[in-house]
Amino acid sequence: MTGRLTIAGLGPGDAALVTPEVSAALREATDVLGYAPYVARVPAREGLRLHPSDNRMEVQRAGEALKLASEGHSVVIVSSGDPGVFAMAAAVFEALEAAPQWQDVAIRVLPGVTAMLAAAARAGAPLGHDFCAINLSDNLKPWAAIERRLRLAAEADFAIALYNPRSAGRPDGFGRALDILRDAGCGERIVIFAHAVTTPKERIETLSLKEARPEMADMATLVIIGNSATRKVGRWVYAPRRAS
Ligand code: SAH
């Protein structure tokens, strides 16, 4: 039997946002690997082995998945949201590059609804015009790169989606990011804090950047900063498509 490795996105939380394609891959799997809270979202059944692991074990987990697939198993490695957005798909290709013996493993990447799209839909259409996404975690890149991208994104007048804004291990970066954006003249911009979108703990808060405080974000929050033309209509926030 030839194995295969499927890299799948589980969406932002709600089971209704798991795509039929991903559900089918999970039904056919012999092994599911991933960060423990994501693996916990996969329905258990006989014949399915679950391999939950720690968050930081990404490349090691990817290597294990490739090995299992090369041995003939039907392996799914899961991420939340989309697997290509700050998640496992890139880790698998990194592991593949380091391990030529697995180059022949059949791999497919199945997209999912990434957090920024679920968050944007709740708020209205804040990503309706040009935007960028920045991962605020400096675990894998220098903080200076993040600062530079924030400054340039502000200058280019992008709406900005911030992933991984703040965690117990990185309590200060998000406050610094807010300061950088205020210094860049973005104080009047609309900011959306979208917490645990599509889960029972969902909370959406909208305010101006100058009112935003670091404690408003945690690891379950996706932050969207509007561009200079982003506005409100009733309770909705949107970016006009004709903005500069
Ligand atoms: N691959 C994931 C992102 C992984 S990075 C995706 O495509 O969504 C993890 C970050 O995603 C979190 O720190 C948070 O910023 C964001 N995130 C993931 N799920 C979320 C949710 N349900 N609500 C709000 N933000 C979420």
Side-chain angles (χ1 to χ4, degrees), residues 17-225:
L17 293 180
V18 179
T19 67
E21 181 180 50
V22 168
S23 296
L26 292 171
R27 275 197 303 276
E28 288 156 16
T30 56
D31 296 85
V32 172
L33 291 85
Y35 177 40
Y38 306 152
V39 171
R41 285 168 55 189
V42 175
R45 64 174 158 75
E46 209 169 312
L48 175 65
R49 282 175 303 189
L50 301 175
H51 308 259
S53 53
D54 190 72
N55 205 9
R56 300 215 173 189
M57 313 290 287
E58 291 181 337
V59 176
Q60 187 185 327
R61 180 194 301 147
E64 281 166 26
L66 282 162
K67 182 165 180 290
L68 282 167
S70 73
E71 291 165 356
H73 300 285
S74 181
V75 182
V76 179
I77 194 158
V78 290
S79 287
S80 73
D82 180 273
V85 178
F86 310 131
M88 281 310 299
V92 168
F93 294 118
E94 195 179 321
L96 189 64
E97 213 175 352
Q101 71 270 29
W102 291 320
Q103 300 285 341
D104 295 333
V105 171
I107 296 178
R108 58 186 181 149
V109 184
L110 306 184
V113 178
T114 189
M116 82 180 163
L117 299 186
R122 286 294 193 258
L127 305 181
H129 195 57
D130 298 340
F131 66 89
C132 65
I134 300 177
N135 183 352
L136 274 201
S137 167
D138 60 353
N139 289 340
L140 300 173
K141 63 183 169 188
W143 176 256
I146 297 174
E147 289 202 356
R148 177 164 176 268
R149 291 193 181 116
L150 286 167
R151 278 197 202 93
L152 292 173
E155 185 188 330
D157 203 9
F158 283 121
I160 306 168
L162 296 177
Y163 283 78
N164 289 311
R166 191 161 170 266
S167 68
R170 296 179 294 103
D172 303 325
F174 180 55
R176 281 195 261 162
L178 290 175
D179 288 341
I180 287 166
L181 294 170
R182 282 187 195 111
D183 289 348
C186 300
E188 298 304 322
R189 289 205 196 183
I190 294 176
V191 182
I192 299 149
F193 286 87
H195 176 85
V197 178
T198 83
T199 80
K201 291 184 176 157
E202 175 175 307
R203 202 177 58 244
I204 313 285
E205 241 177 309
T206 300
L207 66 179
S208 70
L209 185 75
K210 63 177 189 302
E211 297 166 317
R213 293 191 315 278
E215 319 75 71
M216 291 173 175
D218 61 14
M219 275 309 276
T221 309
L222 188 286
V223 181
I224 297 177
I225 295 149

